[in-house]
């Protein structure tokens, strides 16, 4: 069974930083892609970032490019999302998800429960 647990969310002021963690169990990280998604109240879930174990390639939504960085520690089965220069519009519940094919352009079948990020102005 694949299990994903997000942590690191919280309340920060605009311009601040947070680092989210996604700890995974039940699978080998090297064989997966891990994505970060977010959902704000009244809005649809959107993809934020993704990292693929096949070649280490990464994806970022245009809204976070230059501010967010995704990274992984495969030995610990953990993926991180470093979020800098946070804006109020980044406020959302952030989820990590896993795909069992190590590319970012495939469906994600396993999801964590989410961690709340709130950015005050």
């Amino acid at each position: 069974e694949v299990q994903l647990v997000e942590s690191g969310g919280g309340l920060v002021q605009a311009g601040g930083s947070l680092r989210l963690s996604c700890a995974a169990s039940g699978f080998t990280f090297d064989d997966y892609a891990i994505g970060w998604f977010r959902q704000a109240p009244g809005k649809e879930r959107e993809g934020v970032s993704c990292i693929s174990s096949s070649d280490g390639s990464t994806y970022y939504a245009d809204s976070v490019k230059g501010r967010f960085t995704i990274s992984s520690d495969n030995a610990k089965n953990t993926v991180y999302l470093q979020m800098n220069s946070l804006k109020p519009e980044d406020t959302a519940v952030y989820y990590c998800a896993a795909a069992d094919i190590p590319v970012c352009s495939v469906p994600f079948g396993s999801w964590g429960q989410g961690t709340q990020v709130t950015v005050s102005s």
Side-chain angles (χ1 to χ4, degrees), residues 62-113:
D62 288 343
S63 59
V64 306
K65 285 181 179 177
R67 300 188 298 120
F68 291 10
T69 302
I70 191 169
S71 62
S72 65
D73 184 339
N74 288 357
K76 296 182 178 180
N77 271 14
T78 300
V79 170
Y80 305 95
L81 185 67
Q82 179 67 45
M83 306 186 296
N84 298 326
S85 301
L86 283 163
K87 305 174 181 179
E89 51 263 44
D90 295 318
T91 296
V93 177
Y94 283 70
Y95 301 87
C96 65
D100 59 6
I101 299 175
V103 295
C104 288
S105 59
V106 300
F108 289 81
S110 300
W111 294 79
Q113 293 300 305

Side-chain angles (χ1 to χ4, degrees), residues 9-13 18 116-120:
L11 173 64
V12 298
Q13 294 181 333
L18 286 172
Q116 177 71 47
V117 172
T118 303
V119 184
S120 62

